[in-house]
Amino acid sequence: MHLEAVLKSSARHAKPAGLTLQYGTAGFRTKAEHLDHVMYRMGLLAVLRSKNTKSGIGVMVTASHNPEEDNGVKLVDPMGEMLAQEWEVYATNLANAEEHELQTVLTNIIKQESINMQQESFIAIGRDTRPSSENLSRSVIDGVSSLDSKFQDYGLVTTPQLHYVICCRNTNGAYGEPSVEGYYQKLSKAFKELIQQAPGHGSELGCLRVDGANGIGALKLKDMEQYLQPMLSIQFFNDGSKGKLNYMCGADYVKVQQKAPEGLDMKPGERCCSFDGDADRIVYYYNDHDNHFHLLDGDKIATLISTFIKELLSKMNLNVKMAVVQTAYANGSSTRYLEEVMKVPVYCAKTGVKHLHHKAQEFDIGVYFEANGHGTALFSKTAEDQIKRLVHTGATEEIRKSAQMLENVINLINQTVGDAISDMLVIEAILHLKGLTIQKWDEIYPDLPNRQLKVKVADRRVIETTDAERRTIKPPGLQEKIDEIVKIYNLARAFVRPSGTEDVVRIYAEADTQVNADALAHEVCLAAFSLAGGVGDQPQPLP
Ligand code: 16G
Ligand code: MG
């Protein structure tokens, strides 16, 4: 295998000696200045993956909700899903190979996967609005070009738009037109049709306040706004015209701080939402008449969407298997509501979109959301066909109408990955169709008070978990200690897991009151600190 051109170009993207990085939960992520070689090499890997799958592959340059100085890269597989886990190992090996090892590492991947280097390949490249992203995406293109691959630079796009484009290309347009324009058209058409099906609620949804995290989501939603008028009027905040990306704003800030972003003045009852830095996450919120802040996170969104779908299915007498997939972070109230009131089966997957996505694929209809606002709904081919058939052949007007609504939901939701813009439109449509205000949506079930903490330990790998991260099996004694503490509190639950993106151990606790949730989180934090090798000062209770 001759890789001279590759090695020659690689010299222009030299790896800082000794630097090691890992393809983590959502690709590589670190300070932007350490990523040039990683970008070049991910360009190479994308071409190998494309030849291997005989399909187009996506490369997205973004570090999502991380600070502006960071950057990162994730690869998108043929159907718009995240890179297959077996290939994450290749990605890590390739990123960490020293210059003189590069040829061997590449040759090994080619051999191991029996890649035909004569096979055509195609790469779609996208990037977020970080100042470093443009140069880094050029490095990706350098990698792609050094293997003589075809490519298209989509420039500034949201992560879900790139996933959408890849899926469209690889299904020969069956999923939609493979362009950002095609995305706007597909979604806005489904949205309009859905809104028009509202019985007697008028056809305008009023104003929605959107915090764009000063990122790509604001930019793209502004482009799309003309397609959504006059149905939805949007007031933009943190649109990138002055503030810094993700700084005191965005979905992650709002979820973690449990408060509104800077720069957004809310009057009681006003409907607001926040995107994250690459617009694949969304959370909603409002202030009540006593000016108390209320967050409607991924759990509330999953409940709204799955309840709506379930109601339509029952009107259609359609017996398909639907389930909701959550993670250990899902509020216990949401799980109870779904299982006990809505009678929807709920499954728990490990943290990280790829795990939820895979689990959701096992059902005819799988709705998945992480509490942090990352999620979507997946429809199997069989379910989709059945629904489409009923649009025309349904025995009653009600069946045909419900099927039509569900078909529009299918077209509106981005089935390739969680998508802030698409999820937002689905939520807006459902609220409108059901005549729900944001308060009424919030009142469907009350969240249990909860608290998240993190603690530094010498090596977070000493903690091993099982049961979708809900229990620890190592270090010895930790789970027993957690069980003992949890027993003292009412409606309580707690777990500890090593982060997949940061060098910390995370703690989650929920209980009947905020004081108890805080105390429980603190005690569990202390247990992890003492049994898993905490470093630095012992964690202090919340003030
Ligand atoms: C990544 C994941 C997100 C997950 C988070 C957990 C994707 C696209 N993103 O941001 O889903 O919730 O990691 O981080 O998969 P942690 O392991 O540090 O808690
Ligand atoms: Mg993101």
Side-chain angles (χ1 to χ4, degrees):
M1 182 80 242
H2 296 292
L3 294 166
E4 281 112 28
V6 170
L7 300 177
K8 206 168 147 210
S9 303
S10 178
R12 279 186 277 124
H13 303 281
K15 172 182 177 297
L19 178 71
T20 60
L21 296 167
Q22 209 191 342
Y23 196 97
T25 316
F28 292 102
R29 240 181 246 185
T30 187
K31 292 269 160 283
E33 67 256 32
H34 295 149
L35 281 167
D36 181 51
H37 69 293
V38 176
M39 296 294 166
Y40 175 76
R41 293 167 185 207
M42 286 310 104
L44 301 176
L45 190 71
V47 175
L48 297 188
R49 181 73 181 150
S50 173
K51 291 182 188 300
N52 176 240
T53 56
K54 302 187 172 62
S55 309
I57 294 291
V59 182
M60 181 72 195
V61 177
T62 179
S64 184
H65 61 270
N66 283 39
E68 189 169 270
E69 309 73 66
D70 288 5
N71 217 323
V73 57
K74 19 189 185 185
L75 265 58
V76 181
D77 252 2
M79 286 302 115
E81 68 278 47
M82 321 266 287
L83 178 68
Q85 265 171 286
E86 311 85 78
W87 277 66
E88 291 183 2
V89 184
Y90 296 145
T92 302
N93 291 345
L94 198 53
N96 293 329
E98 297 303 334
E99 219 52 45
H100 65 275
E101 298 165 332
L102 195 56
Q103 168 135 15
T104 317
V105 173
L106 283 169
T107 316
N108 281 347
I109 302 173
I110 294 166
K111 251 197 222 149
Q112 224 159 325
E113 294 293 330
S114 311
I115 295 168
N116 170 10
M117 291 304 281
Q118 308 310 317
Q119 173 68 40
E120 287 228 334
S121 52
F122 174 85
I123 310 301
I125 299 137
R127 63 171 198 271
D128 72 10
T129 56
R130 279 161 216 273
S132 59
S133 291
E134 191 168 357
N135 269 339
L136 289 175
S137 77
R138 275 200 211 108
S139 306
V140 174
I141 293 172
D142 260 8
V144 171
S145 310
S146 74
L147 277 172
D148 277 334
S149 175
K150 290 188 183 146
F151 69 89
Q152 185 169 339
D153 182 5
Y154 281 86
L156 291 166
V157 284
T158 69
T159 293
Q161 285 176 336
L162 189 73
H163 284 252
Y164 162 88
V165 159
I166 281 293
C167 182
C168 293
R169 291 197 75 107
N170 290 327
T171 53
N172 294 321
Y175 194 64
E177 269 296 308
S179 65
V180 173
E181 187 69 26
Y183 170 96
Y184 295 147
Q185 278 167 358
K186 179 179 174 182
L187 269 62
S188 58
K189 179 169 181 283
F191 179 67
K192 274 188 191 163
E193 288 184 13
L194 207 46
I195 294 296
Q196 281 159 3
Q197 284 177 282
H201 298 305
S203 63
E204 280 181 33
L205 292 88
C207 182
L208 172 67
R209 278 139 214 278
V210 180
D211 155 30
N214 289 318
I216 185 69
L219 220 66
K220 293 293 148 175
L221 186 57
K222 274 193 178 169
D223 284 352
M224 191 179 187
E225 207 184 359
Q226 52 176 309
Y227 296 84
L228 302 171
Q229 278 165 349
M231 250 84 72
L232 180 63
S233 88
I234 299 167
Q235 203 176 345
F236 286 90
F237 296 87
N238 303 317
D239 64 354
S241 54
K242 31 186 202 290
K244 203 171 164 178
L245 177 70
N246 295 329
Y247 183 67
M248 311 271 264
C249 61
D252 200 61
Y253 175 87
V254 173
K255 169 76 181 157
V256 174
Q257 303 291 328
Q258 309 248 350
K259 62 179 185 195
E262 289 287 300
L264 196 157
D265 223 2
M266 287 193 287
K267 293 196 187 70
E270 281 175 349
R271 207 161 72 249
C272 307
C273 67
S274 284
F275 295 180
D276 77 335
D278 62 341
D280 62 357
R281 271 169 66 180
I282 185 168
V283 293
Y284 268 70
Y285 44 91
Y286 70 100
N287 269 352
D288 63 21
H289 287 278
D290 298 322
N291 260 326
H292 286 142
F293 176 81
H294 294 250
L295 176 70
L296 291 97
D297 61 5
D299 302 336
K300 293 267 179 184
I301 297 172
T303 309
L304 182 76
I305 295 177
S306 57
T307 303
F308 180 71
I309 295 175
K310 167 118 196 211
E311 286 166 359
L312 288 179
L313 290 175
S314 70
K315 281 187 196 160
M316 292 156 67
N317 285 327
L318 198 55
N319 191 14
V320 295
K321 233 170 115 191
M322 180 172 101
V324 173
V325 184
Q326 306 182 312
T327 70
Y329 288 103
N331 196 283
S333 275
S334 70
T335 316
R336 241 186 315 278
Y337 177 80
L338 284 166
E339 285 181 334
E340 291 169 17
V341 182
M342 288 315 299
K343 310 281 181 218
V344 174
V346 180
Y347 293 84
C348 186
K350 280 173 28 179
T351 302
V353 169
K354 60 193 168 206
H355 302 297
L356 290 102
H357 194 92
H358 283 148
K359 188 70 200 171
Q361 280 173 327
E362 291 175 17
F363 309 96
D364 292 320
I365 302 177
V367 178
Y368 72 84
F369 269 88
E370 289 191 306
N372 64 21
H374 200 148
T376 184
L378 306 182
F379 294 79
S380 71
K381 173 92 179 61
T382 328
E384 228 178 284
D385 288 348
Q386 278 176 287
I387 293 161
K388 283 186 181 154
R389 210 171 310 127
L390 286 178
V391 174
H392 305 289
T393 62
T396 64
E397 174 78 8
E398 185 177 43
I399 294 178
R400 289 191 297 273
K401 263 192 171 165
S402 305
Q404 178 77 65
M405 265 189 208
L406 212 42
E407 189 185 16
N408 284 326
V409 172
I410 293 172
N411 289 330
L412 183 53
I413 200 124
N414 187 339
Q415 292 193 56
T416 65
V417 78
D419 180 337
I421 293 180
S422 144
D423 288 342
M424 178 192 89
L425 295 174
V426 172
I427 293 164
E428 290 297 306
I430 295 177
L431 292 179
H432 185 64
L433 287 164
K434 296 183 77 152
L436 283 177
T437 61
I438 189 161
Q439 292 97 318
K440 287 274 175 247
W441 168 23
D442 192 28
E443 284 163 11
I444 293 177
Y445 67 85
D447 267 328
L448 275 176
N450 57 87
R451 177 67 60 194
Q452 290 191 44
L453 295 175
K454 50 186 177 179
V455 66
K456 266 239 169 258
V457 298
D459 179 2
R460 69 191 199 278
R461 286 170 302 185
V462 300
I463 297 190
E464 281 179 33
T465 64
T466 181
D467 192 19
E469 302 178 321
R470 287 176 290 191
R471 298 183 67 77
T472 55
I473 43 175
K474 275 185 188 163
L478 179 57
Q479 189 56 50
E480 289 74 8
K481 184 76 194 157
I482 296 174
D483 289 343
E484 228 173 76
I485 306 169
V486 167
K487 251 192 238 149
I488 308 169
Y489 295 91
N490 265 336
L491 300 174
R493 194 168 66 87
F495 65 86
V496 163
R497 58 175 280 278
S499 158
T501 64
E502 244 187 285
D503 191 14
V504 294
V505 169
R506 298 202 194 280
I507 290 107
Y508 174 89
E510 64 185 31
D512 54 350
T513 65
Q514 191 62 54
V515 171
N516 286 344
D518 289 352
L520 174 58
H522 177 65
E523 284 188 58
V524 172
C525 194
L526 285 180
F529 188 84
S530 71
L531 292 166
V535 291
D537 293 336
Q538 185 161 294
Q540 296 303 307
L542 288 161

